[in-house]
Amino acid sequence: MNDFNSFKTKYGLKLNAQQEQVVNHINGPAVVLAVAGAGKTTSIVSRIGNLIFNYGIAPETILTMTFSKASAKDMKNRFNELFGNDIGSNNVEFSTIHSFTYRILYIYSKRTGRSFSLIEDEKDKNKENDTLNKYRILRQIAFKYLNEYITEDQLEELINNIGYVKNMMIKETDFINHDITFTSFKEIYLEYEQFKSQNNLIDYDDMLTISYEILLNNPKLLDYLRNKYSYIQVDEAQDTSPIQFEIIKLLAYPKNNIVFVGDDDQSIYRFRGTKPEIMLNFPKQFNNTKSYFMEQNFRSTENIINLANSFIKQNEKRYKKTIFTEKSELVNPEVIYSEDEVKQIEFIIDKLKSTSVNDSTAILFRNNQSAIYLMDQLNKNGFNFYIKDFKNKFFKHWIIQDILNFINVAIDPSDINSFFNIYYKTNSYLSKEILTYAKNNSYPQKNIFNIMLSYPNLTDLQKINIIKVKSNFNALKISDGERFIKIIENQLGYENYLKRHSKNNSNSLGNFKNILGTFKLITVDVENIREVKTKLNELELLLKRSSYNKDANITLSTVHSAKGLEFDNVYVVDIVEDIFPNYSSIKKAKDEKSFDELEEERRLMYVAITRAKEKLFFLSLLYKNSNMANKSLFVKEIEGILNINDSSKLKTIYENAKIDHKKFGIGKIKSIDKHIATIVFPTGEKIIDLDICTQNNLIKRLN
């Protein structure tokens, strides 16, 4: 008998009116728009309890799918806390979409005798003798078509592209119509697919595509699963890809007792093939869909929620909803401008020193790379911290490997392998004949530059170039942390190589500069280049150790990895143009008038905002990598919402006026375009943002 009030009382359920509507939805399709911090997990598990205890639904016929092991485990534990005394959670199924499809493959294998081997063990990704490893297979196939081994970055790009086309259900003939720029992608993809098929191998994406084909072509197996699961719930539904949605639709038909729960404003995995449009169009896929809204946020204070509301409403492709909270205002969110990366972390450290030890704090960033200098400085200042889901690509990046090769040659000029890895990235202008001669005449302990200088047919110009390069490597050998990277960039011409590489490969030069900038920050205090490797090794060990430090009050995380978490205090760092929002989204919005990627970046910032319970800081930079940083579009939008406006300070600043800048000294304004000024200083012309400089008291007009 249905007695919902007694059910709530018995299990101590405290639900608001919107949550009760969701819990009391029994049959037919429904889409639930649950904003950040709305108590989604409580509502989902309470609905399961309601189905079982008030409507007599057999527990084993209820399937709840989510998109991470952690979420599935959390939901199962929550169900057990509430209802475990009356029914064990083992009778109710909580599963990720991938583990569920893996079970489909298992059942199919048992019925047909065809077996599959999974090749996704990331712990073995660098084992050279493991021929049935996804990463090694792709490296070998890519080498066949590119005539060179791909870098870690390229491998990740290739894997992401493969996952994207599979999740989006894109046919090979249609690759050309999608934004896939990886060289020879189609050829690599087809050979990879053929190799797996011939050897009965699968990766994570194949779990989805093969399961879908199995369900389409095996009606008995499909009917077995449909009869087994009469009620389906999908959590984090905004992260559903087209292939996942097709599988879910097949399972739900014809009863269509499916509840789709998520927040389209937190859809942040488009690069994996997930689409907010799936959630937006759900009512078109299922007739008589009921729509429910869970708009109360139980996490954040009112001022944070008001900001989140106004910020995300600037996106067009979304359900119209208004997030609210009953938590009163405490501290207003702040936009903080720091002169550079050093001052940014100094600000955070000063704040952390006065933060209660009972408070949880998150330092969030758009890209993993931002964590390197942060963790270095937090460690130096004695802070204990946890770094979440960090992908250790920085230390293996080809630019870092190039720098280490430069150092190797400086320390040991007989290291011909390191030299041949970077000679063409310098301004040495060495001919093929000289290089062949050097290679044929090299042996241990013999200086590579002296070998080249002994080449019989050396011209005067070639001799001058070799002596110059040798001299630069000698200078590199005795330089300190502040000087050695400048020698590599300028005297040895590596900066020009990066510019050429960026132009030829359609990569962002800004990304390359960010990597070099981070490297400079963490090595500036080394006394000589021999200490560089030691410094990098120490940071790698710190990174590994911190990744297990889950009990720390301070968490470093990308915004992507922080989704679903909450913290008392949140710092969002490195908010400058081309980082947050990223370069690609800005370029597509400007050049192609395509705003999908920019809207995803805005959703990502919304996720960052809604992690904060009480205090929220947006940290922007005046200078990034020693160059003036462009003001982030998102900072402009946030300042507009928070009514931060310092334009009144600009009224006395005009062309030809003399000003005093805290960093560059006294200068004369040459020209002004809106808030951007060109100023002539003794050291040369600088372009500065008057808004930012006046707001941070970096500039004043002289009489």
Side-chain angles (χ1 to χ4, degrees):
M1 182 179 177
N2 181 3
D3 186 351
F4 187 66
N5 288 330
S6 297
F7 168 69
K8 285 196 303 178
T9 302
K10 179 179 179 180
Y11 294 104
L13 301 179
K14 296 179 180 179
L15 306 169
N16 65 22
Q18 289 183 327
Q19 289 173 317
E20 284 194 9
Q21 284 185 319
V22 174
V23 174
N24 278 307
H25 177 88
I26 307 304
N27 294 309
V31 60
V32 180
L33 285 307
V35 302
K40 182 164 52 73
T41 299
T42 297
S43 300
I44 290 173
V45 298
S46 296
R47 179 174 181 266
I48 297 171
N50 191 33
L51 288 172
I52 295 169
F53 296 114
N54 281 329
Y55 290 89
I57 306 301
E60 61 271 13
T61 66
I62 304 171
L63 170 65
T64 301
M65 283 194 283
T66 187
F67 291 87
S68 74
K69 289 180 181 178
S71 295
K73 184 179 179 181
D74 178 55
M75 208 169 291
K76 184 174 182 177
N77 290 339
R78 182 68 176 136
F79 181 86
N80 220 23
E81 287 173 11
L82 289 172
F83 310 113
N85 291 334
D86 293 325
I87 179 169
S89 61
N90 289 332
N91 294 313
V92 179
E93 189 163 343
F94 299 93
S95 173
T96 66
I97 183 71
H98 281 91
S99 62
F100 184 80
T101 53
Y102 192 66
R103 189 144 30 91
I104 292 174
L105 297 179
Y106 177 79
I107 296 170
Y108 175 76
S109 176
K110 288 293 184 183
R111 293 188 177 191
T112 64
R114 183 187 175 190
S115 60
F116 302 94
S117 296
L118 186 62
I119 53 171
E120 282 280 4
D121 191 351
E122 192 154 347
K123 290 183 291 186
D124 294 332
K125 67 185 293 185
N126 294 313
K127 284 188 178 179
E128 292 301 316
N129 60 348
D130 189 355
T131 57
L132 298 184
N133 176 279
K134 170 182 178 176
Y135 308 93
R136 178 167 170 76
I137 293 166
L138 283 172
R139 282 194 183 101
Q140 289 177 330
I141 295 173
F143 182 82
K144 177 179 176 181
Y145 292 97
L146 305 178
N147 294 317
E148 62 180 359
Y149 286 108
I150 56 178
T151 64
E152 289 288 320
D153 274 0
Q154 290 173 315
L155 179 61
E156 182 178 19
E157 181 186 355
L158 176 59
I159 290 171
N160 284 342
N161 284 337
I162 291 171
Y164 179 80
V165 300
K166 292 208 157 196
N167 274 275
M168 289 288 289
M169 305 176 74
I170 301 170
K171 297 184 182 301
E172 302 91 76
T173 53
D174 202 29
F175 285 174
I176 194 171
N177 297 319
H178 292 267
D179 190 20
I180 301 170
T181 58
F182 197 93
T183 305
S184 301
F185 174 75
K186 184 176 180 179
E187 292 79 8
I188 295 169
Y189 174 85
L190 291 175
E191 185 162 334
Y192 177 56
E193 293 303 297
Q194 183 182 31
F195 182 85
K196 286 186 296 177
S197 178
Q198 290 172 347
N199 294 279
N200 287 327
L201 305 175
I202 59 169
D203 58 24
Y204 287 143
D205 299 311
D206 295 325
M207 290 183 190
L208 303 172
T209 55
I210 296 175
S211 290
Y212 178 59
E213 292 298 323
I214 288 172
L215 294 178
L216 284 178
N217 297 304
N218 292 267
K220 287 185 178 180
L221 176 54
L222 179 56
D223 286 342
Y224 162 76
L225 293 170
R226 283 172 171 171
N227 291 329
K228 179 174 174 58
Y229 302 109
S230 299
Y231 292 85
I232 298 174
Q233 299 184 126
V234 180
D235 183 31
E236 301 291 355
Q238 75 277 353
D239 295 331
T240 307
S241 69
I243 185 66
Q244 292 167 347
F245 190 52
E246 291 303 318
I247 292 170
I248 292 165
K249 281 200 302 181
L250 280 176
L251 293 170
Y253 184 83
K255 297 173 185 174
N256 290 337
N257 291 328
I258 177 171
V259 175
F260 222 50
V261 187
D263 182 5
D264 55 306
D265 289 331
Q266 296 186 73
S267 178
I268 56 174
Y269 294 108
R270 183 176 286 272
F271 62 92
R272 292 183 187 171
T274 67
K275 298 173 65 175
E277 291 85 351
I278 290 176
M279 198 166 189
L280 293 170
N281 296 328
F282 185 86
K284 296 178 182 178
Q285 296 289 330
F286 293 92
N287 293 329
N288 303 314
T289 293
K290 291 186 177 180
S291 298
Y292 301 100
F293 289 81
M294 290 169 51
E295 297 169 296
Q296 182 175 357
N297 175 286
F298 295 94
R299 175 186 300 156
S300 307
T301 56
E302 188 177 8
N303 38 9
I304 293 173
I305 293 305
N306 290 340
L307 170 61
N309 249 329
S310 299
F311 182 76
I312 198 59
K313 283 180 179 178
Q314 294 172 93
N315 272 4
E316 303 239 340
K317 292 183 179 179
R318 63 186 295 269
Y319 279 100
K320 287 181 171 56
K321 50 190 177 295
T322 301
I323 184 172
F324 71 93
T325 183
E326 294 181 355
K327 288 191 170 185
S328 58
E329 292 189 12
L330 287 177
V331 181
N332 280 324
E334 293 185 54
V335 177
I336 305 295
Y337 288 95
S338 299
E339 183 176 343
D340 53 22
E341 300 92 333
V342 175
K343 295 297 182 183
Q344 176 178 251
I345 186 61
E346 285 179 1
F347 170 82
I348 294 172
I349 287 171
D350 284 344
K351 285 286 185 181
L352 290 174
K353 287 176 179 177
S354 60
T355 299
S356 168
V357 292
N358 297 317
D359 278 7
S360 59
T361 297
I363 304 173
L364 305 181
F365 30 84
R366 175 63 181 83
N367 303 321
N368 266 309
Q369 187 184 305
S370 295
I372 304 296
Y373 183 59
L374 287 169
M375 68 176 190
D376 182 36
Q377 292 302 304
L378 288 172
N379 182 61
K380 282 183 177 179
N381 284 271
F383 288 100
N384 194 27
F385 59 89
Y386 167 55
I387 187 158
K388 188 176 190 302
D389 297 341
F390 188 85
K391 292 184 178 179
N392 185 11
K393 294 192 302 176
F394 176 80
F395 300 101
K396 295 180 176 62
H397 195 280
W398 58 266
I399 290 179
I400 304 302
Q401 298 307 309
D402 280 351
I403 295 171
L404 292 177
N405 281 322
F406 277 108
I407 291 172
N408 289 341
V409 175
I411 293 172
D412 179 12
S414 69
D415 186 346
I416 193 164
N417 291 327
S418 293
F419 179 77
F420 270 82
N421 283 332
I422 47 94
Y423 78 87
Y424 59 94
K425 302 178 181 183
T426 69
N427 52 10
S428 56
Y429 310 110
L430 297 170
S431 70
K432 186 177 180 180
E433 292 77 15
I434 293 174
L435 292 166
T436 302
Y437 176 82
K439 198 167 191 177
N440 292 338
N441 289 275
S442 66
Y443 56 86
Q445 310 304 319
K446 189 162 185 181
N447 188 305
I448 184 71
F449 303 106
N450 292 340
I451 297 172
M452 291 188 288
L453 287 169
S454 68
Y455 177 64
N457 302 315
L458 204 64
T459 66
D460 289 342
L461 181 59
Q462 288 172 331
K463 183 177 181 180
I464 291 170
N465 282 336
I466 295 171
I467 292 173
K468 182 179 178 182
V469 173
K470 180 181 179 182
S471 174
N472 286 329
F473 271 99
N474 286 336
L476 181 62
K477 184 177 181 178
I478 59 173
S479 61
D480 59 17
E482 196 165 357
R483 174 107 177 99
F484 86 90
I485 197 70
K486 292 179 181 177
I487 294 174
I488 293 173
E489 281 185 291
N490 302 323
Q491 282 94 312
L492 287 166
Y494 189 62
E495 185 176 31
N496 289 331
Y497 165 76
L498 291 179
K499 289 177 181 177
R500 294 195 306 272
H501 185 81
S502 170
K503 186 176 181 180
N504 295 338
N505 294 276
S506 301
N507 289 318
S508 167
L509 181 61
N511 289 338
F512 297 159
K513 287 185 175 181
N514 287 336
I515 292 165
L516 273 177
T518 299
F519 186 87
K520 292 175 186 176
L521 287 169
I522 61 177
T523 58
V524 69
D525 57 350
V526 300
E527 294 184 2
N528 58 71
I529 61 172
R530 293 178 186 273
E531 294 181 4
V532 172
K533 284 186 180 180
T534 302
K535 177 73 174 184
L536 295 180
N537 289 336
E538 288 173 350
L539 282 175
E540 279 201 90
L541 287 173
L542 174 63
L543 170 62
K544 187 174 182 179
R545 188 169 66 247
S546 302
S547 67
Y548 295 104
N549 196 16
K550 294 184 178 182
D551 293 330
N553 288 338
I554 301 170
T555 297
L556 274 60
S557 174
T558 62
V559 183
H560 282 99
S561 289
K563 190 159 80 78
L565 304 179
E566 61 182 31
F567 305 90
D568 296 311
N569 313 302
V570 169
Y571 299 84
V572 190
V573 302
D574 288 349
I575 314 176
V576 297
E577 203 80 331
D578 294 344
I579 293 181
F580 207 177
N582 66 11
Y583 171 79
S584 174
S585 66
I586 295 295
K587 191 174 189 303
K588 286 182 180 178
K590 287 180 179 178
D591 298 349
E592 305 171 23
K593 306 303 178 186
S594 173
F595 297 95
D596 284 351
E597 200 170 323
L598 183 58
E599 288 209 352
E600 175 125 322
E601 289 289 297
R602 191 175 282 109
R603 290 192 294 270
L604 191 61
M605 179 59 83
Y606 172 79
V607 168
I609 292 170
T610 53
R611 298 314 92 200
K613 294 165 70 175
E614 295 181 0
K615 295 180 182 179
L616 175 60
F617 301 91
F618 302 96
L619 276 67
S620 187
L621 303 172
L622 302 180
Y623 296 91
K624 176 74 173 167
N625 306 322
S626 301
N627 296 314
M628 181 179 169
N630 291 323
K631 192 173 186 177
S632 166
L633 169 66
F634 293 161
V635 169
K636 295 175 186 176
E637 292 175 353
I638 290 165
E639 286 182 332
I641 296 166
L642 297 176
N643 292 318
I644 297 173
N645 187 349
D646 288 88
S647 60
S648 60
K649 296 181 183 180
L650 301 179
K651 292 180 180 177
T652 59
I653 297 179
Y654 44 82
E655 288 187 7
N656 296 319
K658 285 188 176 182
I659 58 92
D660 187 5
H661 191 285
K662 281 189 176 181
K663 182 171 183 177
F664 302 120
I666 295 174
K668 185 177 182 181
I669 295 182
K670 182 178 179 182
S671 63
I672 299 178
D673 182 8
K674 295 180 181 177
H675 57 90
I676 302 299
T678 301
I679 305 178
V680 180
F681 293 100
T683 54
E685 287 188 3
K686 302 288 182 183
I687 299 174
I688 70 168
D689 188 315
L690 293 174
D691 276 342
I692 295 175
C693 287
T694 52
Q695 184 175 322
N696 289 274
N697 297 316
L698 293 176
I699 189 173
K700 64 180 179 180
R701 188 174 72 87
L702 299 176
N703 293 324

